[in-house]
Coordinates of all heavy atoms in Angstrom, one line a residue:
M1 N -24.9 -31.7 -14.3 CA -24.2 -30.6 -14.6 C -24.8 -29.9 -15.8 O -25.0 -30.4 -16.7 CB -22.7 -30.8 -14.9 CG -22.0 -29.6 -15.1 SD -20.2 -29.8 -15.4 CE -19.7 -31.1 -14.4
S2 N -25.0 -28.5 -15.6 CA -25.6 -27.8 -16.7 C -24.6 -27.5 -17.9 O -23.5 -27.6 -17.7 CB -26.2 -26.4 -16.2 OG -25.2 -25.6 -15.9
E3 N -25.2 -27.4 -19.0 CA -24.4 -27.1 -20.1 C -23.5 -25.9 -20.0 O -22.4 -25.8 -20.4 CB -25.3 -26.9 -21.4 CG -24.5 -26.7 -22.7 CD -25.4 -26.7 -23.9 OE1 -26.5 -27.3 -23.9 OE2 -25.1 -26.1 -24.9
E4 N -24.1 -24.8 -19.5 CA -23.4 -23.5 -19.2 C -22.2 -23.8 -18.3 O -21.2 -23.2 -18.6 CB -24.3 -22.5 -18.6 CG -25.3 -22.0 -19.6 CD -26.6 -22.8 -19.6 OE1 -26.8 -23.8 -18.8 OE2 -27.5 -22.6 -20.4
K5 N -22.4 -24.5 -17.2 CA -21.3 -24.8 -16.4 C -20.2 -25.6 -17.0 O -19.0 -25.4 -16.8 CB -21.8 -25.5 -15.1 CG -20.8 -25.7 -14.0 CD -21.4 -26.3 -12.7 CE -20.3 -26.4 -11.7 NZ -20.9 -26.9 -10.5
S6 N -20.6 -26.6 -17.8 CA -19.7 -27.4 -18.6 C -18.8 -26.5 -19.6 O -17.6 -26.7 -19.7 CB -20.4 -28.5 -19.3 OG -19.5 -29.2 -20.1
Q7 N -19.4 -25.6 -20.3 CA -18.9 -24.7 -21.1 C -17.8 -23.9 -20.4 O -16.7 -23.6 -20.9 CB -19.8 -23.9 -22.0 CG -20.6 -24.6 -23.0 CD -21.6 -23.8 -23.7 OE1 -22.0 -22.7 -23.1 NE2 -22.1 -24.2 -24.7
L8 N -18.2 -23.3 -19.3 CA -17.3 -22.5 -18.5 C -16.0 -23.3 -18.0 O -15.0 -22.8 -18.0 CB -18.1 -21.9 -17.4 CG -17.3 -20.8 -16.6 CD1 -16.8 -19.7 -17.5 CD2 -18.3 -20.2 -15.5
Q9 N -16.3 -24.5 -17.6 CA -15.2 -25.4 -17.1 C -14.2 -25.7 -18.3 O -13.1 -25.7 -18.1 CB -15.8 -26.7 -16.5 CG -16.4 -26.5 -15.1 CD -17.0 -27.7 -14.5 OE1 -17.5 -28.6 -15.3 NE2 -17.0 -27.8 -13.3
D10 N -14.8 -25.9 -19.5 CA -13.9 -26.2 -20.7 C -13.1 -24.9 -21.0 O -11.9 -25.0 -21.3 CB -14.8 -26.5 -21.9 CG -15.5 -27.9 -21.8 OD1 -15.0 -28.7 -20.9 OD2 -16.4 -28.1 -22.5
I11 N -13.6 -23.7 -20.9 CA -12.9 -22.5 -21.1 C -11.8 -22.4 -20.1 O -10.6 -22.1 -20.4 CB -13.8 -21.3 -21.1 CG1 -14.7 -21.3 -22.3 CG2 -13.0 -20.0 -21.0 CD1 -15.9 -20.3 -22.1
L12 N -12.1 -22.7 -18.8 CA -11.1 -22.5 -17.7 C -10.0 -23.6 -18.0 O -8.8 -23.2 -17.7 CB -11.8 -22.8 -16.3 CG -12.4 -21.6 -15.8 CD1 -13.3 -21.9 -14.6 CD2 -11.4 -20.5 -15.3
K13 N -10.3 -24.7 -18.4 CA -9.2 -25.9 -18.7 C -8.3 -25.3 -19.6 O -7.0 -25.5 -19.5 CB -9.9 -27.1 -19.1 CG -10.5 -27.9 -18.0 CD -11.1 -29.1 -18.6 CE -12.0 -29.9 -17.6 NZ -12.7 -31.1 -18.2
R14 N -8.8 -24.6 -20.7 CA -7.9 -24.2 -21.8 C -7.1 -23.0 -21.2 O -5.9 -22.9 -21.5 CB -8.8 -23.6 -22.9 CG -9.4 -24.8 -23.6 CD -10.1 -24.3 -25.0 NE -9.2 -23.9 -26.0 CZ -9.5 -23.3 -27.1 NH1 -10.8 -23.0 -27.3 NH2 -8.5 -22.9 -28.0
L15 N -7.6 -22.2 -20.4 CA -6.8 -21.1 -19.8 C -5.8 -21.5 -18.9 O -4.6 -21.0 -18.9 CB -7.8 -20.0 -19.1 CG -8.8 -19.4 -20.0 CD1 -9.8 -18.5 -19.3 CD2 -8.1 -18.5 -21.2
F16 N -6.1 -22.4 -18.1 CA -5.1 -23.0 -17.1 C -4.0 -23.7 -17.9 O -2.8 -23.6 -17.5 CB -5.8 -24.1 -16.1 CG -6.7 -23.5 -15.2 CD1 -7.9 -24.2 -14.7 CD2 -6.5 -22.2 -14.6 CE1 -8.7 -23.6 -13.8 CE2 -7.4 -21.7 -13.7 CZ -8.5 -22.4 -13.3
A17 N -4.3 -24.3 -18.9 CA -3.2 -24.9 -19.8 C -2.3 -23.8 -20.3 O -1.1 -24.1 -20.4 CB -3.9 -25.7 -21.0
M18 N -2.9 -22.8 -20.7 CA -2.0 -21.6 -21.1 C -1.1 -21.2 -20.0 O 0.1 -20.8 -20.2 CB -2.8 -20.4 -21.6 CG -3.6 -20.7 -22.8 SD -4.8 -19.4 -23.2 CE -3.8 -18.1 -23.8
E19 N -1.6 -21.1 -18.8 CA -0.7 -20.7 -17.6 C 0.4 -21.7 -17.4 O 1.5 -21.3 -17.0 CB -1.6 -20.6 -16.4 CG -2.4 -19.4 -16.3 CD -3.3 -19.3 -15.1 OE1 -3.7 -20.3 -14.5 OE2 -3.5 -18.1 -14.6
K20 N 0.2 -23.0 -17.6 CA 1.1 -24.1 -17.3 C 2.1 -24.4 -18.5 O 3.1 -25.1 -18.3 CB 0.3 -25.3 -16.9 CG -0.4 -25.1 -15.6 CD -1.2 -26.4 -15.3 CE -1.9 -26.2 -14.1 NZ -2.9 -27.4 -13.9
A21 N 1.8 -23.8 -19.7 CA 2.6 -24.2 -20.9 C 4.0 -23.7 -20.6 O 4.3 -22.7 -20.0 CB 2.1 -23.5 -22.0
K22 N 5.0 -24.5 -21.2 CA 6.4 -24.2 -21.0 C 7.1 -23.9 -22.3 O 8.3 -23.9 -22.4 CB 7.1 -25.4 -20.4 CG 6.5 -25.8 -19.0 CD 6.9 -24.8 -17.9 CE 6.3 -25.3 -16.6 NZ 6.2 -24.2 -15.6
D23 N 6.3 -23.6 -23.3 CA 6.9 -23.4 -24.7 C 7.0 -21.9 -25.1 O 7.0 -21.6 -26.3 CB 6.2 -24.3 -25.7 CG 4.7 -23.9 -25.9 OD1 4.2 -23.3 -24.9 OD2 4.1 -24.2 -27.0
G24 N 7.1 -21.1 -24.2 CA 7.3 -19.7 -24.6 C 6.5 -18.7 -23.6 O 5.6 -19.2 -23.0
R25 N 6.9 -17.5 -23.6 CA 6.4 -16.5 -22.7 C 5.0 -16.1 -23.1 O 4.1 -16.0 -22.2 CB 7.2 -15.2 -22.8 CG 6.7 -14.1 -22.1 CD 7.5 -12.8 -22.1 NE 6.8 -11.7 -21.6 CZ 7.2 -10.5 -21.6 NH1 8.4 -10.1 -22.1 NH2 6.5 -9.5 -21.0
F26 N 4.7 -16.1 -24.3 CA 3.3 -15.7 -24.8 C 2.6 -17.0 -25.3 O 3.0 -17.6 -26.1 CB 3.3 -14.6 -25.9 CG 3.9 -13.3 -25.4 CD1 5.2 -13.0 -25.7 CD2 3.1 -12.5 -24.7 CE1 5.8 -11.8 -25.2 CE2 3.6 -11.3 -24.3 CZ 5.0 -10.9 -24.5
Q27 N 1.4 -17.2 -24.7 CA 0.6 -18.3 -25.1 C -0.6 -17.7 -25.8 O -1.3 -16.8 -25.2 CB 0.1 -19.2 -23.9 CG 1.3 -19.8 -23.2 CD 2.0 -20.8 -24.0 OE1 1.4 -21.6 -24.7 NE2 3.3 -20.8 -24.2
K28 N -1.0 -18.3 -27.0 CA -2.1 -17.8 -27.7 C -3.1 -19.0 -28.0 O -2.7 -19.9 -28.3 CB -1.8 -17.1 -29.0 CG -1.0 -15.9 -28.9 CD -0.8 -15.1 -30.2 CE 0.0 -13.9 -29.9 NZ 0.1 -13.0 -31.1
R29 N -4.4 -18.6 -27.8 CA -5.4 -19.6 -28.1 C -6.6 -18.9 -28.9 O -6.8 -17.7 -28.5 CB -6.0 -20.3 -26.9 CG -5.1 -21.0 -26.0 CD -4.5 -22.3 -26.7 NE -3.7 -23.1 -25.9 CZ -2.4 -22.8 -25.6 NH1 -1.8 -21.8 -26.1 NH2 -1.7 -23.6 -24.8
R30 N -7.2 -19.6 -29.7 CA -8.4 -19.0 -30.4 C -9.7 -19.7 -29.9 O -9.6 -20.8 -29.6 CB -8.2 -19.0 -31.9 CG -7.8 -20.4 -32.4 CD -7.6 -20.4 -33.8 NE -8.7 -20.8 -34.6 CZ -8.9 -21.0 -35.8 NH1 -8.0 -20.7 -36.6 NH2 -10.1 -21.5 -36.2
F31 N -10.7 -18.9 -29.9 CA -12.0 -19.5 -29.5 C -12.9 -19.3 -30.7 O -13.2 -18.2 -31.2 CB -12.5 -18.7 -28.3 CG -11.8 -19.2 -27.0 CD1 -10.6 -18.7 -26.7 CD2 -12.3 -20.2 -26.3 CE1 -9.8 -19.0 -25.6 CE2 -11.5 -20.6 -25.1 CZ -10.4 -20.0 -24.8
D32 N -13.4 -20.4 -31.2 CA -14.2 -20.4 -32.5 C -15.7 -20.8 -32.1 O -16.0 -21.5 -31.1 CB -13.7 -21.5 -33.4 CG -12.3 -21.2 -33.8 OD1 -11.8 -20.2 -33.5 OD2 -11.8 -22.2 -34.5
L33 N -16.6 -20.4 -32.9 CA -17.9 -20.8 -32.8 C -18.5 -20.9 -34.3 O -18.3 -20.0 -35.1 CB -18.8 -19.9 -32.0 CG -20.2 -20.3 -31.5 CD1 -20.1 -21.5 -30.6 CD2 -20.7 -19.1 -30.7
Y34 N -19.1 -22.0 -34.6 CA -19.7 -22.2 -35.9 C -18.6 -22.1 -37.0 O -19.0 -21.6 -38.1 CB -20.9 -21.2 -36.2 CG -21.9 -21.2 -35.1 CD1 -22.3 -20.1 -34.5 CD2 -22.5 -22.4 -34.7 CE1 -23.2 -20.0 -33.5 CE2 -23.5 -22.4 -33.8 CZ -23.9 -21.2 -33.1 OH -24.8 -21.2 -32.2
G35 N -17.4 -22.5 -36.7 CA -16.4 -22.5 -37.7 C -15.7 -21.1 -37.9 O -14.9 -20.9 -38.7
L36 N -16.1 -20.2 -37.1 CA -15.5 -18.8 -37.2 C -14.7 -18.4 -35.9 O -15.1 -18.7 -34.8 CB -16.6 -17.7 -37.4 CG -17.5 -17.9 -38.5 CD1 -18.7 -16.9 -38.4 CD2 -16.7 -17.7 -39.9
E37 N -13.5 -17.9 -36.2 CA -12.7 -17.5 -35.0 C -13.3 -16.2 -34.5 O -13.3 -15.2 -35.3 CB -11.3 -17.2 -35.5 CG -10.4 -16.8 -34.3 CD -8.9 -16.7 -34.6 OE1 -8.4 -17.3 -35.6 OE2 -8.4 -15.9 -34.0
L38 N -13.8 -16.2 -33.3 CA -14.5 -15.1 -32.7 C -13.5 -14.3 -31.7 O -13.5 -13.1 -31.7 CB -15.7 -15.3 -32.0 CG -16.8 -16.0 -32.8 CD1 -17.9 -16.4 -31.9 CD2 -17.2 -15.1 -33.8
L39 N -12.7 -15.0 -31.0 CA -11.8 -14.4 -30.0 C -10.4 -15.0 -30.1 O -10.2 -16.1 -30.5 CB -12.4 -14.8 -28.6 CG -13.8 -14.4 -28.3 CD1 -14.2 -15.0 -27.0 CD2 -13.9 -12.9 -28.3
Q40 N -9.5 -14.1 -29.8 CA -8.1 -14.7 -29.6 C -7.6 -14.2 -28.2 O -7.8 -13.0 -27.8 CB -7.1 -14.1 -30.6 CG -5.7 -14.6 -30.5 CD -4.8 -14.1 -31.5 OE1 -5.0 -14.3 -32.7 NE2 -3.7 -13.4 -31.2
V41 N -7.1 -15.1 -27.4 CA -6.6 -14.8 -26.1 C -5.1 -15.0 -26.1 O -4.6 -16.0 -26.5 CB -7.3 -15.8 -25.1 CG1 -6.8 -15.6 -23.7 CG2 -8.8 -15.6 -25.1
T42 N -4.4 -14.1 -25.5 CA -3.0 -14.1 -25.3 C -2.7 -14.0 -23.9 O -3.2 -13.1 -23.2 CB -2.3 -13.1 -26.2 OG1 -2.6 -13.2 -27.5 CG2 -0.8 -13.2 -26.0
Y43 N -1.9 -14.9 -23.4 CA -1.4 -14.9 -22.0 C 0.1 -14.6 -21.9 O 0.9 -15.3 -22.5 CB -1.8 -16.2 -21.3 CG -1.2 -16.2 -19.8 CD1 -1.8 -15.2 -18.9 CD2 -0.3 -17.1 -19.3 CE1 -1.4 -15.3 -17.5 CE2 0.0 -17.1 -18.0 CZ -0.5 -16.2 -17.2 OH 0.0 -16.2 -15.9
D44 N 0.4 -13.5 -21.2 CA 1.9 -13.2 -21.0 C 2.3 -13.8 -19.7 O 1.9 -13.3 -18.6 CB 2.0 -11.6 -21.0 CG 3.4 -11.1 -20.7 OD1 4.3 -12.0 -20.3 OD2 3.6 -10.0 -20.9
Q45 N 3.0 -14.8 -19.7 CA 3.4 -15.6 -18.5 C 4.3 -14.8 -17.6 O 4.2 -14.9 -16.4 CB 4.2 -17.0 -18.9 CG 3.1 -17.9 -19.5 CD 3.8 -19.3 -19.8 OE1 5.0 -19.3 -20.0 NE2 3.0 -20.4 -19.8
E46 N 5.2 -13.9 -18.2 CA 6.1 -13.2 -17.3 C 5.3 -12.2 -16.5 O 5.6 -12.0 -15.3 CB 7.1 -12.5 -18.3 CG 8.1 -11.7 -17.5 CD 9.2 -11.2 -18.4 OE1 9.8 -12.0 -19.1 OE2 9.4 -10.0 -18.4
N47 N 4.3 -11.5 -17.1 CA 3.6 -10.5 -16.3 C 2.3 -11.0 -15.9 O 1.6 -10.1 -15.2 CB 3.4 -9.2 -17.3 CG 4.6 -8.6 -17.7 OD1 5.5 -8.4 -16.9 ND2 4.8 -8.2 -19.0
Q48 N 1.9 -12.1 -16.2 CA 0.6 -12.8 -15.7 C -0.5 -11.9 -16.1 O -1.4 -11.6 -15.3 CB 0.7 -13.1 -14.2 CG 1.8 -14.0 -13.8 CD 1.9 -14.3 -12.3 OE1 1.4 -13.6 -11.5 NE2 2.4 -15.5 -12.0
E49 N -0.5 -11.5 -17.4 CA -1.6 -10.7 -17.9 C -2.2 -11.4 -19.1 O -1.6 -12.0 -19.9 CB -1.0 -9.3 -18.2 CG -0.6 -8.5 -17.1 CD 0.0 -7.2 -17.5 OE1 0.4 -7.0 -18.7 OE2 0.1 -6.3 -16.7
W50 N -3.5 -11.1 -19.2 CA -4.3 -11.6 -20.3 C -4.7 -10.5 -21.2 O -5.2 -9.5 -20.8 CB -5.6 -12.4 -19.7 CG -5.3 -13.5 -18.8 CD1 -5.1 -13.3 -17.3 CD2 -5.1 -14.9 -19.0 NE1 -4.8 -14.6 -16.9 CE2 -4.8 -15.6 -17.9 CE3 -5.2 -15.5 -20.3 CZ2 -4.7 -16.9 -17.9 CZ3 -5.1 -16.9 -20.2 CH2 -4.7 -17.6 -19.0
D51 N -4.8 -10.9 -22.5 CA -5.3 -10.0 -23.6 C -6.3 -10.7 -24.3 O -6.0 -11.8 -24.8 CB -4.2 -9.4 -24.5 CG -4.8 -8.5 -25.5 OD1 -5.0 -7.3 -25.1 OD2 -4.8 -8.9 -26.6
L52 N -7.5 -10.2 -24.4 CA -8.5 -10.9 -25.2 C -9.0 -9.9 -26.4 O -9.2 -8.8 -26.1 CB -9.7 -11.1 -24.3 CG -10.9 -12.0 -24.8 CD1 -11.6 -12.7 -23.7 CD2 -11.9 -11.2 -25.6
L53 N -8.9 -10.4 -27.6 CA -9.2 -9.7 -28.8 C -10.6 -10.2 -29.3 O -10.7 -11.4 -29.7 CB -8.2 -9.8 -29.8 CG -8.6 -9.2 -31.2 CD1 -8.9 -7.7 -31.1 CD2 -7.4 -9.5 -32.2
D54 N -11.6 -9.5 -29.3 CA -12.9 -9.8 -29.9 C -12.9 -9.4 -31.4 O -12.9 -8.1 -31.6 CB -14.0 -9.1 -29.0 CG -15.4 -9.3 -29.6 OD1 -15.5 -9.8 -30.7 OD2 -16.3 -9.0 -28.8
H55 N -12.8 -10.3 -32.2 CA -12.7 -10.0 -33.7 C -14.0 -9.2 -34.2 O -13.8 -8.4 -35.1 CB -12.5 -11.2 -34.5 CG -11.2 -11.9 -34.2 ND1 -10.0 -11.3 -34.4 CD2 -10.9 -13.2 -33.8 CE1 -9.0 -12.1 -34.2 NE2 -9.4 -13.2 -33.8
R56 N -15.1 -9.5 -33.6 CA -16.4 -8.9 -34.1 C -16.4 -7.4 -33.8 O -16.7 -6.6 -34.8 CB -17.5 -9.5 -33.5 CG -17.8 -10.9 -33.8 CD -19.0 -11.5 -33.0 NE -19.0 -11.1 -31.6 CZ -20.0 -10.6 -30.9 NH1 -21.1 -10.5 -31.3 NH2 -19.8 -10.4 -29.6
L57 N -15.9 -7.0 -32.7 CA -16.0 -5.6 -32.3 C -14.6 -4.9 -32.5 O -14.5 -3.7 -32.2 CB -16.4 -5.4 -30.8 CG -17.9 -6.1 -30.5 CD1 -18.1 -6.0 -29.0 CD2 -18.8 -5.4 -31.4
K58 N -13.6 -5.7 -32.8 CA -12.3 -5.1 -32.9 C -11.9 -4.5 -31.7 O -11.4 -3.4 -31.7 CB -12.2 -4.2 -34.1 CG -12.6 -4.8 -35.4 CD -11.5 -5.5 -36.1 CE -11.9 -5.9 -37.5 NZ -12.4 -7.2 -37.7
K59 N -12.1 -5.1 -30.6 CA -11.9 -4.6 -29.3 C -10.9 -5.5 -28.4 O -11.1 -6.7 -28.4 CB -13.2 -4.3 -28.5 CG -13.1 -3.6 -27.3 CD -14.4 -3.4 -26.6 CE -14.3 -2.6 -25.3 NZ -15.5 -2.2 -24.7
H60 N -10.0 -4.9 -27.7 CA -9.2 -5.6 -26.8 C -9.6 -5.4 -25.3 O -10.1 -4.3 -24.9 CB -7.7 -5.0 -26.8 CG -7.0 -5.6 -28.0 ND1 -6.2 -6.7 -27.9 CD2 -6.8 -5.1 -29.2 CE1 -5.6 -6.9 -29.1 NE2 -6.0 -5.9 -29.9
Y61 N -9.5 -6.5 -24.6 CA -9.8 -6.5 -23.2 C -8.5 -7.0 -22.5 O -7.9 -7.9 -22.9 CB -11.0 -7.4 -22.8 CG -12.3 -7.2 -23.5 CD1 -12.5 -7.7 -24.8 CD2 -13.2 -6.3 -22.9 CE1 -13.6 -7.5 -25.4 CE2 -14.3 -6.1 -23.6 CZ -14.6 -6.7 -24.9 OH -15.8 -6.4 -25.5
H62 N -8.2 -6.4 -21.3 CA -7.0 -6.7 -20.6 C -7.5 -7.1 -19.1 O -8.2 -6.5 -18.6 CB -6.0 -5.6 -20.5 CG -5.6 -5.1 -21.8 ND1 -4.5 -5.8 -22.5 CD2 -5.9 -4.1 -22.6 CE1 -4.3 -5.2 -23.6 NE2 -5.2 -4.2 -23.7
F63 N -6.8 -8.3 -18.6 CA -7.2 -8.8 -17.4 C -6.0 -9.3 -16.6 O -5.0 -9.6 -17.3 CB -8.1 -10.1 -17.5 CG -9.4 -9.8 -18.3 CD1 -9.5 -9.9 -19.6 CD2 -10.5 -9.2 -17.5 CE1 -10.7 -9.7 -20.3 CE2 -11.8 -9.1 -18.2 CZ -11.8 -9.2 -19.6
D64 N -6.0 -9.4 -15.3 CA -5.0 -10.0 -14.6 C -5.5 -11.1 -13.8 O -4.9 -11.7 -12.8 CB -4.3 -9.0 -13.7 CG -5.2 -8.3 -12.6 OD1 -6.4 -8.7 -12.7 OD2 -4.8 -7.4 -12.0
D65 N -6.8 -11.6 -14.0 CA -7.5 -12.7 -13.3 C -8.0 -13.7 -14.2 O -8.8 -13.3 -15.1 CB -8.5 -12.1 -12.2 CG -9.1 -13.1 -11.5 OD1 -10.0 -13.8 -12.1 OD2 -8.8 -13.2 -10.3
V66 N -7.6 -14.9 -14.1 CA -8.0 -15.9 -15.0 C -9.6 -16.1 -15.0 O -10.3 -16.4 -16.0 CB -7.3 -17.3 -14.8 CG1 -7.7 -17.9 -13.5 CG2 -7.5 -18.3 -16.0
D67 N -10.2 -16.1 -13.8 CA -11.7 -16.2 -13.7 C -12.4 -15.1 -14.6 O -13.4 -15.5 -15.1 CB -12.1 -16.1 -12.3 CG -11.6 -17.4 -11.4 OD1 -11.5 -18.4 -12.1 OD2 -11.3 -17.2 -10.3
L68 N -11.9 -13.8 -14.5 CA -12.5 -12.8 -15.2 C -12.4 -13.0 -16.7 O -13.4 -12.8 -17.5 CB -12.0 -11.5 -14.8 CG -12.2 -11.1 -13.4 CD1 -11.5 -9.7 -13.1 CD2 -13.7 -10.9 -13.1
V69 N -11.2 -13.5 -17.2 CA -11.2 -13.9 -18.5 C -12.1 -14.9 -19.0 O -12.8 -14.8 -20.0 CB -9.6 -14.4 -18.9 CG1 -9.4 -14.8 -20.3 CG2 -8.6 -13.4 -18.5
A70 N -12.2 -15.9 -18.2 CA -13.2 -17.1 -18.5 C -14.6 -16.6 -18.6 O -15.3 -17.0 -19.6 CB -13.0 -18.2 -17.5
I71 N -15.0 -15.8 -17.7 CA -16.4 -15.2 -17.7 C -16.6 -14.3 -19.0 O -17.6 -14.5 -19.6 CB -16.6 -14.5 -16.5 CG1 -16.7 -15.4 -15.3 CG2 -17.9 -13.6 -16.6 CD1 -16.6 -14.7 -13.9
E72 N -15.6 -13.5 -19.3 CA -15.7 -12.7 -20.5 C -15.8 -13.5 -21.8 O -16.6 -13.3 -22.7 CB -14.6 -11.7 -20.6 CG -14.8 -10.7 -21.6 CD -15.9 -9.7 -21.3 OE1 -16.2 -9.5 -20.1 OE2 -16.5 -9.2 -22.3
I73 N -15.0 -14.6 -21.9 CA -15.0 -15.4 -23.0 C -16.4 -16.1 -23.1 O -17.0 -16.1 -24.2 CB -13.9 -16.5 -23.0 CG1 -12.5 -15.8 -23.2 CG2 -14.1 -17.6 -24.0 CD1 -11.4 -16.8 -22.8
Y74 N -16.8 -16.6 -22.0 CA -18.2 -17.2 -22.0 C -19.2 -16.4 -22.4 O -20.1 -16.6 -23.2 CB -18.4 -17.9 -20.6 CG -19.8 -18.5 -20.5 CD1 -20.0 -19.7 -20.9 CD2 -20.9 -17.7 -20.0 CE1 -21.4 -20.2 -20.8 CE2 -22.2 -18.2 -19.9 CZ -22.3 -19.5 -20.3 OH -23.6 -20.0 -20.3
D75 N -19.3 -15.1 -21.9 CA -20.3 -14.2 -22.2 C -20.3 -13.8 -23.6 O -21.3 -13.7 -24.3 CB -20.2 -12.9 -21.4 CG -20.6 -13.0 -19.9 OD1 -21.3 -14.1 -19.6 OD2 -20.3 -12.2 -19.0
L76 N -19.1 -13.6 -24.2 CA -19.0 -13.2 -25.6 C -19.4 -14.3 -26.6 O -20.1 -14.1 -27.5 CB -17.6 -12.8 -26.0 CG -17.2 -11.4 -25.3 CD1 -15.6 -11.2 -25.5 CD2 -17.9 -10.2 -25.9
L77 N -19.0 -15.6 -26.3 CA -19.4 -16.6 -27.1 C -20.9 -16.9 -26.9 O -21.6 -17.2 -27.8 CB -18.7 -17.9 -26.7 CG -17.2 -18.0 -27.0 CD1 -16.5 -19.2 -26.4 CD2 -16.9 -17.8 -28.5
R78 N -21.5 -16.8 -25.7 CA -22.9 -17.0 -25.5 C -23.7 -16.0 -26.2 O -24.8 -16.2 -26.7 CB -23.2 -16.9 -23.9 CG -24.6 -17.2 -23.6 CD -24.8 -18.8 -23.8 NE -26.1 -19.0 -23.3 CZ -26.9 -20.0 -23.8 NH1 -26.4 -20.8 -24.8 NH2 -28.1 -20.3 -23.4
D79 N -23.3 -14.7 -26.3 CA -23.9 -13.6 -27.0 C -24.1 -14.0 -28.4 O -25.1 -13.8 -29.1 CB -23.1 -12.3 -26.9 CG -23.9 -11.2 -27.5 OD1 -25.1 -11.0 -27.2 OD2 -23.2 -10.4 -28.2
V80 N -23.0 -14.6 -29.1 CA -23.1 -14.9 -30.5 C -24.1 -16.1 -30.5 O -24.9 -16.3 -31.5 CB -21.7 -15.4 -31.0 CG1 -21.8 -16.0 -32.4 CG2 -20.8 -14.2 -31.0
Q81 N -24.0 -17.1 -29.7 CA -24.9 -18.3 -29.8 C -26.3 -17.8 -29.7 O -27.3 -18.4 -30.4 CB -24.7 -19.2 -28.5 CG -23.4 -20.1 -28.8 CD -23.2 -21.0 -27.5 OE1 -23.4 -20.5 -26.4 NE2 -22.7 -22.1 -27.8
L82 N -26.6 -16.9 -28.8 CA -28.0 -16.4 -28.7 C -28.5 -15.6 -30.0 O -29.7 -15.5 -30.2 CB -28.2 -15.5 -27.4 CG -28.0 -16.4 -26.1 CD1 -28.1 -15.5 -24.9 CD2 -29.1 -17.5 -26.0
T83 N -27.6 -15.0 -30.6 CA -27.8 -14.2 -31.8 C -28.3 -15.1 -33.0 O -29.2 -14.7 -33.8 CB -26.6 -13.4 -32.2 OG1 -26.2 -12.5 -31.1 CG2 -27.0 -12.5 -33.4
F84 N -27.8 -16.3 -33.0 CA -28.0 -17.2 -34.1 C -28.9 -18.2 -33.7 O -29.1 -19.2 -33.4 CB -26.6 -17.7 -34.8 CG -25.9 -16.6 -35.4 CD1 -24.8 -16.0 -34.8 CD2 -26.2 -16.2 -36.7 CE1 -24.0 -15.0 -35.4 CE2 -25.5 -15.1 -37.3 CZ -24.5 -14.6 -36.6

């Protein structure tokens, strides 16, 4: 299995855990790289909507599909990895 596929699978596992969590309507997770928080993802279980905050660009992304969220997270993290 390639490293890229493994990273994408790890991201999806975290997102699926957010969907299944039972400790509140809003689930938040942070995605770090090199010890820096780059992204914050919030899942609204009631509306089944995802909000992704890119700290570098101060930009929000909204999604209603977990696969699209995973791909965006992967792309944003990969962009930083390739920069350094």
Side-chain angles (χ1 to χ4, degrees):
M1 180 182 319
S2 71
E3 183 177 331
E4 291 84 10
K5 187 173 181 180
S6 176
Q7 289 175 342
L8 189 55
Q9 287 177 331
D10 289 345
I11 292 168
L12 278 167
K13 285 179 188 176
R14 292 184 69 192
L15 297 177
F16 289 147
M18 292 172 74
E19 288 180 324
K20 293 176 184 175
K22 302 290 184 203
D23 60 337
R25 173 181 171 182
F26 295 99
Q27 296 295 313
K28 292 187 180 192
R29 301 292 187 279
R30 48 184 264 181
F31 288 81
D32 302 348
L33 193 61
Y34 307 125
L36 300 172
E37 181 178 333
L38 299 177
L39 306 169
Q40 179 176 304
V41 178
T42 303
Y43 179 61
D44 179 347
Q45 291 182 332
E46 186 174 303
N47 295 319
Q48 298 180 338
E49 295 177 338
W50 300 88
D51 180 73
L52 189 151
L53 171 61
D54 181 340
H55 292 301
R56 293 176 312 134
L57 302 176
K58 308 277 191 258
K59 186 172 180 181
H60 280 269
Y61 302 87
H62 300 281
F63 300 94
D64 60 3
D65 183 282
V66 69
D67 293 327
L68 296 177
V69 177
I71 291 168
E72 190 66 31
I73 292 169
Y74 175 83
D75 286 345
L76 291 168
L77 292 175
R78 186 75 177 146
D79 183 50
V80 172
Q81 285 176 323
L82 293 174
T83 302
F84 294 100

